């Protein structure tokens, strides 16, 4: 299972800050990486670079820095096994890439395995919160705050005034279990009278037919808004929502042609600031022993692709400004995301 989020699915805010900087450290090879040339960065994805969700967030960040002339990027798509990931990491390390990113929870062990074999290569490993303590001299680590992702998704759902709210997703796992608990808190904070239906997890990230059936079941149970994700199954949710005359939250605008008619936006990751910071440390020669977390406050999680739809007439026209204000209050400490325990 890939490191996904209700994020790819649901939320986003751009920017990322160092959560832990265990040490300013030295670069893995002990020498400063020259800033005189564009760094070569390889990104290994578990899915497609244009999936409109989690995988695209990494690809977009790499392309953004490439356009600025900071790096040259190589994107490897649809790597589905840890053994294939290890092979890709070894290949890029042997070819002299300056940075190799394993974009997915399933790739973390492979990153650390190859990093031990290739101490002069530099890597980024991604995963859930426990990965933050695993950074080494040549592996920096990253995650996102899944509780904040869920909270923001629920908060936006509450701002629509729609109720009941249903959920259709692929699988229930520890990372999105936290997300959905926080979604409930955000929903209640924004709309105390809102109710929720029991979430439906189809068991597949890729099957749109199963998702269509699940969405129809939520609509039959009274759902006026379905929270979903930007995955292979998403077209099935969107088509059911369009036929049922209800709104969705969390799909990508590119998920299918039905997105424009029903989806009000999604919380998405902006990995660009984090990648830029990592590249900066490479150029300065002090890469290593750092961990990063994308949050609402640092705008690594943002609500984007805002799209007013007829089935959600109550969505505030200034929702973007309201989300920005929420981020500022969280950054200042005036507000805190409630703990999910």
């Amino acid at each position: 299972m890939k490191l996904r989020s209700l994020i790819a699915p649901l939320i986003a805010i751009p920017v990322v800050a160092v959560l832990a900087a265990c040490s300013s450290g030295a670069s893995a090879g002990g020498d400063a990486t020259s800033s005189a040339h564009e760094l070569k960065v390889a990104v290994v994805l578990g899915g497609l670079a244009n999936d409109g969700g989690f995988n695209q967030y990494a690809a977009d960040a790499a392309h953004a820095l490439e356009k600025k002339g900071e790096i040259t990027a190589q994107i490897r798509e649809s790597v589905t096994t840890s053994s294939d990931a290890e092979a890709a990491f070894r290949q890029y390390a042997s070819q002299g890439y300056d940075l190799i990113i394993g974009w997915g929870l399933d790739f973390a062990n492979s990153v650390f395995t190859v990093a031990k074999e290739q101490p002069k290569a530099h890597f980024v490993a991604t995963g859930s919160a426990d990965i933050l303590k695993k950074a080494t001299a040549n592996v920096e680590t990253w995650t996102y705050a899944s509780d904040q992702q869920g909270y923001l998704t629920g908060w936006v759902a509450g701002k629509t005034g729609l109720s009941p709210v249903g959920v259709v997703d692929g699988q229930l796992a520890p990372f999105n279990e936290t997300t959905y608990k926080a979604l409930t808190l955000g929903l209640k904070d924004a709309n105390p009278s809102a109710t929720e239906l029991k979430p439906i997890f189809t068991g597949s990230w890729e099957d749109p037919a199963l998702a269509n059936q699940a969405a129809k079941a939520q609509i039959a149970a009274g759902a006026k808004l379905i929270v979903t994700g930007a995955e292979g199954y998403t077209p099935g949710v969107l088509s059911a929502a369009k036929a049922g005359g209800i709104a969705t939250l969390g799909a990508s605008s590119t998920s299918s042609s039905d997105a424009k008619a029903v989806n009000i936006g999604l919380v998405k990751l902006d990995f660009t600031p984090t990648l830029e910071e990592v590249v900066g440390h490479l150029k300065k020669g002090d890469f290593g022993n750092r961990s990063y977390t994308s949050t609402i406050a640092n705008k690594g999680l943002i609500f984007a692709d805002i799209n007013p739809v007829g089935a959600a007439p109550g969505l505030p026209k200034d929702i973007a400004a309201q989300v920005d204000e929420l981020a500022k209050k969280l950054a200042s400490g005036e507000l805190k995301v409630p703990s999910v325990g």
Side-chain angles (χ1 to χ4, degrees):
M1 179 177 58
K2 306 299 179 291
L3 175 65
R4 301 168 185 267
S5 74
L6 200 62
I7 248 195
L10 321 161
I11 321 177
I13 300 184
V15 180
V16 170
V18 175
L19 178 63
C22 305
S23 163
S24 60
S27 68
D31 297 321
T33 301
S34 173
S35 59
H37 71 283
E38 293 180 1
L39 300 183
K40 294 198 301 181
V41 176
V43 184
V44 178
L45 305 176
L48 296 174
N50 64 348
D51 67 357
F54 185 71
N55 290 292
Q56 187 167 343
Y57 300 147
D60 284 352
H63 289 317
L65 266 63
E66 191 170 41
K67 288 180 180 178
K68 293 172 68 175
E70 296 187 34
I71 66 172
T72 57
Q74 175 68 43
I75 309 297
R76 177 75 65 88
E77 299 179 280
S78 300
V79 176
T80 58
T81 69
S82 57
S83 59
D84 286 345
E86 282 191 26
F89 299 150
R90 289 191 181 97
Q91 173 192 337
Y92 290 125
S94 68
Q95 292 175 347
Y97 274 75
D98 299 289
L99 180 68
I100 303 159
I101 301 171
W103 191 252
L105 182 67
D106 290 346
F107 298 158
N109 290 338
S110 297
V111 168
F112 287 109
T113 295
V114 178
K116 288 181 180 179
E117 301 170 1
Q118 303 281 349
K120 292 187 177 182
H122 306 89
F123 299 83
V124 171
T126 61
S128 48
D130 63 331
I131 206 168
L132 296 174
K133 297 180 180 179
K134 298 179 180 179
T136 69
N138 70 327
V139 181
E140 295 195 340
T141 61
W142 169 90
T143 191
Y144 65 89
S146 60
D147 59 335
Q148 294 194 23
Q149 167 213 346
Y151 181 85
L152 182 55
T153 300
W155 191 85
V156 172
K159 288 292 181 178
T160 68
L162 297 172
S163 180
V165 175
V167 167
V168 174
D169 204 348
Q171 298 176 17
L172 180 62
F175 74 88
N176 62 8
E177 184 174 13
T178 297
T179 298
Y180 286 115
K181 288 180 180 179
L183 183 147
T184 296
L185 299 177
L187 179 66
K188 292 298 184 181
D189 277 356
N191 182 8
S193 65
T195 59
E196 294 178 81
L197 301 175
K198 184 177 180 180
I200 298 179
F201 298 93
T202 68
S204 171
W205 297 111
E206 306 299 336
D207 192 327
L210 286 177
N212 184 267
Q213 295 170 13
K216 287 179 177 178
Q218 294 287 43
I219 294 169
K224 296 297 185 290
L225 173 68
I226 291 180
V227 172
T228 189
E231 302 287 352
Y233 68 75
T234 309
V237 177
L238 297 178
S239 63
K242 184 177 180 180
I246 72 163
T248 65
L249 170 63
S252 166
S253 60
T254 60
S255 293
S256 81
S257 58
D258 292 327
K260 183 67 175 177
V262 299
N263 195 67
I264 65 174
L266 78 164
V267 174
K268 64 195 301 185
L269 285 166
D270 185 351
F271 185 63
T272 306
T274 299
L275 181 56
E276 196 158 30
E277 185 169 355
V278 172
V279 167
H281 288 300
L282 273 172
K283 290 181 176 180
K284 290 188 294 183
D286 64 352
F287 179 94
N289 296 308
R290 288 182 176 82
S291 298
Y292 307 84
T293 300
S294 293
T295 68
I296 300 172
N298 65 31
K299 296 187 177 180
L301 294 172
I302 57 172
F303 183 58
D305 295 354
I306 300 170
N307 176 44
V309 299
L315 182 71
K317 293 182 179 179
D318 66 341
I319 186 64
Q322 290 192 34
V323 170
D324 188 56
E325 184 64 22
L326 175 66
K328 289 178 181 178
K329 289 181 178 180
L330 289 169
S332 70
E334 181 180 346
L335 292 178
K336 291 185 179 181
V337 173
S339 172
V340 296

